[in-house]
């Protein structure tokens, strides 16, 4: 796994304008070599120019030392090399200067102009020197050799460092571009992994909330009926033993049903097994895997067997057996719906009946279910309790029933409305799309 772009940006470790000490040592060595070369070439320059020998040597040393600043001012190095070309000194400085100029980040027109100046200067000086040598008799070749030597020498001194510098500069820019792209890609993958982790965490929270709603619906309804039957059992235990036995059997049935539903739900939750220890993987695989896992986790639900709308009669019958006066009416033909739709519709009716047991004991209740072409509608409405003092059956309420019903319905794209009626009762209505 590569590091980020911020890690690639290292602080300079060399003196002055050098990024690294190794570059400073290299430039100092090249400057010393160029100074020695130009100092030695300053001796014949002093003789030809008629100046003192020490002046030619000092001039050559100072000229060759300019190579020390080739990284910071490559244009200046090339200009100095071109300027001292007539003195026949600065060959190393000119070659290294052209290479540095071509490899650095400068406009192409500047590089071409300076390289052309160096080429022309070297060609003229070589032409003149070779012609003078032939005139003195040092060379006995034909006249064709003069332009050939001038062109060959100027190209040999100028073209190789220029082409090598262009290649190194292009390669360096390509590597920097690839590194920046890799860093950018890694940052995007890290951002993707963070977002995927956030989505996974959101999905986990949503799943926890959904499981809490499911367990609330299961436990609250069954336990509410058990409390109602237990209260009735306590009231008639001595007066009507047969009725007390029936109530006790109903309490047992309710408890067994609650345990069965809880066992099914917990069994599904435990079916995932033990997860293996995490294994380090590349960041790209992490981003893709986490994003896919988060997408799946956002839509997967823990589904248990039922409940179904076909069990609605049994649900209403249980409330009637607990002493509630409840009437069920169904409009339209019963048909199959997606599991989430049927379970949500069943839970809405179940929770509404549970609230009646809790807050309006003894009130007459109407359960209406309508099967429509593109949706299913349900309504649970109760009258005001006959005795205001007995409106509560002594059951605890966490205040999450209506919130849970609304969340269930809205998550399927439906509409949920609840509130008191003008007659002093309470109404719960929900419409859920059939698809």
């Amino acid at each position: 796994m590569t590091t980020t772009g911020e890690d690639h940006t290292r602080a300079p470790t060399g003196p002055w304008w050098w990024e690294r000490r190794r570059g400073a040592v290299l430039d100092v060595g090249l400057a010393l070599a160029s100074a020695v070369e130009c100092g030695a070439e300053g001796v014949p320059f002093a003789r030809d120019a008629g100046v003192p020998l020490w002046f030619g040597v000092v001039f050559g040393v100072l000229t060759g030392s300019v190579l020390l600043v080739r990284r910071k001012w490559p244009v200046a190095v090339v200009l100095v090399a071109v300027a001292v070309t007539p003195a026949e000194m600065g060959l190393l400085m000119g070659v290294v200067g052209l290479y540095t100029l071509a490899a650095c980040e400068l406009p192409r027109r500047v590089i071409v102009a300076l390289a052309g100046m160096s080429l022309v200067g070297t060609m003229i000086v070589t032409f003149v020197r070779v012609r003078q040598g032939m005139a003195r008799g040092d060379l006995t070749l034909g006249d064709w050799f003069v332009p050939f030597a001038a062109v060959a020498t100027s190209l040999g001194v100028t073209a190789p460092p220029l082409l090598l510098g262009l290649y190194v500069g292009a390669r360096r820019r390509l590597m920097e571009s690839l590194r920046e792209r890799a860093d950018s890609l890694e940052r995007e993958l890290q951002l993707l992994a963070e977002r995927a982790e956030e989505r996974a965490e959101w999905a986990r929270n949503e799943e926890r909330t959904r499981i809490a709603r499911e367990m609330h619906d299961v436990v609250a309804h069954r336990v509410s009926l058990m409390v109602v039957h237990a209260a009735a059992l306590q009231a008639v235990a001595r007066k009507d033993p047969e009725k007390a036995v029936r109530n006790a059997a109903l309490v047992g049935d309710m408890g067994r049903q609650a345990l069965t539903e809880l066992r099914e739900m917990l069994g599904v939750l435990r079916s995932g097994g033990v997860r293996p220890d995490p294994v380090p993987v590349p960041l790209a695989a992490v981003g893709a895997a986490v994003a896919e896992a988060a997408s799946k986790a956002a839509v997967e639900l823990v589904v248990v067997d039922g409940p179904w709308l076909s069990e609605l009669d049994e649900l209403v019958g249980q409330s009637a057996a607990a002493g509630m006066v409840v009437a069920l009416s169904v409009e339209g033909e019963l048909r199959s719906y997606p599991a989430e739709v049927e379970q949500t519709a069943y839970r809405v009716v179940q929770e509404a009946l549970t609230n009646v047991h809790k807050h309006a004991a003894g009130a007459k209740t109407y359960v209406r279910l309508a099967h429509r072409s593109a949706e299913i509608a349900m309504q649970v409405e109760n009258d005001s309790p006959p005795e205001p003092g007995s409106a509560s059956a002594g059951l605890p309420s966490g205040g999450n029933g209506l919130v849970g019903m609304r969340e269930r319905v809205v998550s399927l794209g439906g509409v949920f409305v609840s509130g008191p009626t003008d007659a002093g009762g309470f109404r719960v209505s929900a419409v859920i799309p059939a698809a």
Side-chain angles (χ1 to χ4, degrees), residues 72-400:
K72 190 172 182 63
W73 296 300
V75 175
V77 174
V78 175
L79 288 176
V80 171
V82 172
V84 298
T85 299
E88 294 187 81
M89 64 173 59
L91 176 63
L92 178 62
M93 180 174 58
V95 172
V96 177
L98 284 176
Y99 165 79
T100 307
L101 178 70
C104 66
E105 299 289 339
L106 284 176
R108 288 297 177 88
R109 61 178 181 274
V110 176
I111 298 176
V112 171
L114 292 176
M117 292 172 59
S118 177
L119 176 68
V120 172
T122 304
M123 185 181 300
I124 293 175
V125 170
T126 304
F127 183 89
V128 172
R129 292 299 181 182
V130 172
R131 191 173 185 84
Q132 290 177 352
M134 293 186 66
R136 289 194 303 266
D138 297 337
L139 297 174
T140 58
L141 299 176
D143 294 338
W144 61 269
F145 183 73
V146 176
F148 172 78
V151 173
T153 302
S154 59
L155 289 177
V157 173
T158 306
L162 183 66
L163 295 178
L164 180 62
L166 291 174
Y167 167 75
V168 172
R171 183 176 180 275
R172 182 185 304 161
R173 288 187 292 271
L174 176 62
M175 295 300 296
E176 291 177 355
S177 175
L178 292 177
R179 185 181 297 112
E180 290 177 358
R181 291 178 61 183
D183 295 339
S184 176
L185 178 61
E186 185 170 357
R187 286 192 294 269
E188 292 178 2
L189 288 175
Q190 289 178 344
L191 181 60
L192 176 63
E194 293 174 0
R195 291 182 177 177
E197 182 61 28
E198 293 177 359
R199 291 175 59 190
E201 182 64 25
W202 172 84
R204 287 193 292 268
N205 293 334
E206 287 293 317
E207 191 64 15
R208 293 191 191 101
T209 303
R210 196 198 66 81
I211 293 173
R213 287 199 305 264
E214 194 75 18
M215 297 186 70
H216 171 270
D217 293 341
V218 172
V219 175
H221 181 72
R222 302 298 183 190
V223 174
S224 298
L225 293 179
M226 290 170 65
V227 171
V228 172
H229 283 294
L233 176 62
Q234 183 180 6
V236 302
R238 296 181 180 179
K239 299 179 181 179
D240 191 349
E242 294 182 0
K243 187 174 182 181
V245 171
R246 290 195 300 270
N247 287 339
L250 289 175
V251 170
D253 292 339
M254 295 297 169
R256 282 187 290 272
Q257 291 175 4
L259 289 175
T260 299
E261 293 186 16
L262 288 175
R263 189 179 297 110
E264 291 177 351
M265 185 179 303
L266 295 177
V268 173
L269 292 177
R270 291 174 179 172
S271 62
V274 180
R275 295 184 179 179
D277 295 334
V279 179
V281 294
L283 184 60
V286 171
V290 173
E292 182 180 358
S295 300
K296 291 182 178 179
V299 299
E300 288 181 352
L301 298 175
V302 177
V303 180
V304 297
D305 293 336
W308 311 104
L309 288 177
S310 58
E311 303 173 10
L312 203 59
D313 291 334
E314 181 182 355
L315 176 66
V316 173
Q318 292 173 355
S319 296
M324 178 187 294
V325 181
V326 55
L328 172 64
S329 63
V330 180
E331 299 178 4
E333 295 182 359
L334 178 63
R335 63 181 188 274
S336 61
Y337 298 95
E340 294 83 358
V341 175
E342 290 207 26
Q343 292 173 19
T344 300
Y346 182 94
R347 295 302 187 192
V348 168
V349 177
Q350 183 186 57
E351 182 61 26
L353 292 177
T354 301
N355 288 340
V356 175
H357 283 293
K358 289 181 178 180
H359 307 293
K364 188 174 182 179
T365 306
Y366 305 92
V367 179
R368 301 179 180 89
L369 185 67
H371 300 280
R372 299 170 183 171
S373 59
E375 62 189 14
I376 178 173
M378 65 224 66
Q379 183 183 87
V380 179
E381 180 179 354
N382 63 273
D383 298 336
S384 59
E387 298 179 7
S390 63
S392 175
L395 296 170
S397 177
N400 297 319

